[in-house]
Amino acid sequence: MEPIEQRGYANPDRLVSTQWVADHKGDPDVLLVESNEDPLLYSTGHIDVAMEIDWTRDLNNPLTRDYLDEAGFEALMSRIGATRETNVVFYGDRNNWWATYALWVFSLFGHERTKIMDGGRQKWVNEGRPLYQSVPNRPTTTYRCPPRDDQTNRAFRDGVLRHMQEGKALVDVRSPEEFTGERLHMPAYPNEGALRGGHIPGAKNVPWAKAVDPATGEFLSATRLRELYEGGARLKPGEEVVTYCRIGERSSHTWFVLKYLLGYPNVRNYDGSWTEWGNLVGAPIER
Amino acid sequence: MEGLQGLLELAESLESLDRAERIETLTDYARRYQPVPESVAGKPYPERNKVPGCESEVYAFLVPDSGVRFAVENRQGVSAMALAAILQEFFGGAWANEIEQVPDEIVYRLFGRELSMGKSMGLMNMVATAKALAGAAK
């Protein structure tokens, strides 16, 4: 892949290379955060100064099927040593799937100084860069955040229903089999509780992982991303988009691509996603 | 203690630990993971031995007098390596047949309930495959 600054992204500063991380990981205003699907992975080795954010333990409130509140986010950020001025660089396993999910949750609290390490953990490892097991001793801070903003980057079912009725763009990032209703869940994954198979009427299907080069895990160039989303899925540049998947994690990856790499001004992630819509009384679906 | 009783005791022990201690114990198992011997199976491993739904690309083999052995092809598949090591340690040799009695929820007891859907499915399929291999060998 060509260097990030040559890929034509709308916001190239949202993506950093592994070399950038190697050069800047010691900067006091940079905080590396590893966020993985595999909860054991961080403890086996991570970039020396990287803190861990576990998506279930640190970001979710399982009792309300919601994310942490302002107090919870302030406690998390204080614990990992962040201030409002800190540049948080996320990386992780599975092509940064969980890293973009964490970044999206950060966006709800207005922490905009966030970036993704292109290629994720696997690229760092493949390049022979070192990993360490000791947890960094980063000084704690006292972090204060504004009220959580659930409007700008997050969509809820009533809003999605209006969005659909107005004929606005929806991107379903699940597998084609889930999209058509052939499956209720990812191939070989368990059914996550949806009674109906199919998709939200009008949605276009672009599986999330198509946005990365499978060989390196790096994001495709803007030209190739436009071919994918505007050529294939016929999104119109700049139009309002809602992304969704099964519970909102895969679609956070596509949200990141559309919002930051292609510069769509109004992209929201519907975290209720198919587990909500597929069960919702009165909500129409297509197969 | 080996066999099912030993596994259940390990699960009970892990459930009593805090998150960090549980992770430390499980990663210790992952470090002890030994892939299936080349004398049993070599790369590329047969597709028929692949554990379905496991994104760490895991293969399972029944080795006579030794029990079920695994090959975890994903270097980042730490949880898969930990489970492979646990199953291999507790159900080797004379204890091999007891693997059929392993309860389905053992993955949650060992790893906790905060696994992603994909991760839990892959690990549960490793257990299911091991049980199926042991059953088919009767």
Side-chain angles (χ1 to χ4, degrees):
Chain A
M1 289 290 290
E2 58 270 56
I4 290 167
E5 59 274 15
Q6 294 176 19
R7 293 186 210 160
Y9 297 142
N11 298 283
D13 58 320
R14 289 292 184 158
L15 210 53
V16 294
S17 66
T18 49
Q19 186 58 51
W20 186 96
V21 169
D23 294 339
H24 293 273
K25 61 188 175 68
D27 293 358
D29 64 341
V30 171
L31 169 60
L32 285 182
V33 169
E34 180 167 319
S35 192
N36 298 314
E37 184 200 25
D38 193 324
L40 303 185
L41 197 50
Y42 175 84
S43 65
T44 66
H46 49 81
I47 299 176
D48 54 351
V49 294
M51 305 294 280
E52 181 190 27
I53 287 186
D54 181 272
W55 69 284
T56 50
R57 178 195 59 178
D58 294 323
L59 301 179
N60 287 297
N61 182 339
L63 299 181
T64 56
R65 197 190 163 177
D66 201 351
Y67 301 100
L68 69 181
D69 58 14
E70 292 89 352
F73 190 71
E74 288 175 347
L76 170 66
M77 296 296 267
S78 300
R79 176 174 64 79
I80 64 175
T83 69
R84 294 292 291 176
E85 286 70 45
T86 301
N87 293 291
V88 183
V89 180
F90 296 91
Y91 72 97
D93 63 355
R94 306 289 313 278
N95 289 335
N96 280 323
W97 172 356
W98 306 94
T100 54
Y101 191 39
L103 185 150
W104 175 74
V105 173
F106 273 46
S107 80
L108 305 180
F109 297 95
H111 194 102
E112 286 299 321
R113 293 173 181 257
T114 53
K115 304 172 188 293
I116 293 289
M117 185 175 83
D118 199 23
R121 192 180 192 281
Q122 188 63 57
K123 186 167 190 289
W124 181 274
V125 171
N126 289 346
E127 291 171 346
R129 299 181 188 274
L131 297 175
Y132 299 85
Q133 290 180 356
S134 59
V135 176
N137 187 21
R138 188 177 174 98
T140 58
T141 56
T142 301
Y143 186 96
R144 291 285 175 262
C145 69
R148 193 175 77 190
D149 173 6
D150 282 341
Q151 306 302 315
T152 305
N153 293 314
R154 189 179 187 191
F156 292 91
R157 63 187 181 202
D158 291 344
V160 174
L161 183 62
R162 285 194 299 275
H163 186 91
M164 178 207 75
Q165 290 167 336
E166 291 166 3
K168 293 178 178 173
L170 288 148
V171 178
D172 183 323
V173 313
R174 297 174 300 159
S175 65
E177 294 82 4
E178 292 170 276
F179 182 77
T180 60
E182 184 181 332
R183 292 177 187 272
L184 284 166
H185 47 89
M186 288 175 74
Y189 274 46
N191 181 357
E192 208 161 20
L195 289 172
R196 302 178 297 173
H199 56 267
I200 300 175
K204 300 291 194 296
N205 183 217
V206 186
W208 70 280
K210 288 196 169 190
V212 299
D213 180 339
T216 66
E218 294 168 295
F219 286 98
L220 301 179
S221 69
T223 300
R224 292 181 65 191
L225 291 173
R226 282 193 202 96
E227 287 170 4
L228 187 63
Y229 293 103
E230 294 168 4
R234 298 182 183 172
L235 297 185
K236 298 181 188 70
E239 76 174 317
E240 187 179 340
V241 183
V242 167
T243 63
Y244 73 94
C245 55
R246 187 188 50 186
I247 57 171
E249 11 72 292
R250 282 176 285 176
S251 47
S252 67
H253 193 273
T254 301
W255 168 87
F256 176 83
V257 169
L258 292 174
K259 183 178 182 71
Y260 293 123
L261 302 187
L262 292 184
Y264 280 56
N266 191 348
V267 188
R268 288 174 295 145
N269 183 28
Y270 172 34
D271 56 277
S273 276
W274 195 253
T275 53
E276 180 173 69
W277 194 274
N279 289 322
L280 199 56
V281 175
I285 66 168
E286 281 180 352
R287 291 192 169 109
Chain B
M1 174 68 74
E2 294 175 290
L4 181 63
Q5 189 56 38
L7 179 68
L8 296 177
E9 287 177 11
L10 172 66
E12 189 175 339
S13 167
L14 285 169
E15 287 173 325
S16 70
L17 301 178
D18 65 25
R19 181 178 184 274
E21 293 167 333
R22 181 196 290 260
I23 285 175
E24 187 180 341
T25 303
L26 290 169
T27 51
D28 277 346
Y29 273 103
R31 289 188 197 98
R32 302 212 293 266
Y33 156 75
Q34 293 287 329
V36 63
E38 283 187 21
S39 58
V40 174
K43 298 180 183 179
Y45 297 116
E47 204 56 26
R48 65 177 178 277
N49 290 87
K50 192 170 183 179
V51 175
C54 189
E55 296 187 352
S56 289
E57 202 177 328
V58 176
Y59 298 82
F61 304 86
L62 185 69
V63 182
D65 302 323
S66 183
V68 176
R69 302 296 296 268
F70 293 94
V72 180
E73 288 291 87
N74 177 5
R75 285 182 298 164
Q76 296 194 71
V78 183
S79 294
M81 290 182 206
L83 182 58
I86 288 169
L87 294 178
Q88 288 172 183
E89 286 190 25
F90 282 92
F91 298 102
W95 302 96
N97 287 337
E98 285 200 10
I99 202 167
E100 286 186 86
Q101 301 166 43
V102 173
D104 291 341
E105 75 274 12
I106 196 68
V107 165
Y108 292 112
R109 294 194 64 194
L110 294 172
F111 290 84
R113 295 200 168 269
E114 294 180 341
L115 291 171
S116 73
M117 293 296 288
K119 186 63 63 188
S120 59
M121 187 63 180
L123 297 174
M124 289 171 77
N125 280 350
M126 285 177 66
V127 174
T129 302
K131 291 166 70 171
L133 282 172
K138 281 183 176 175

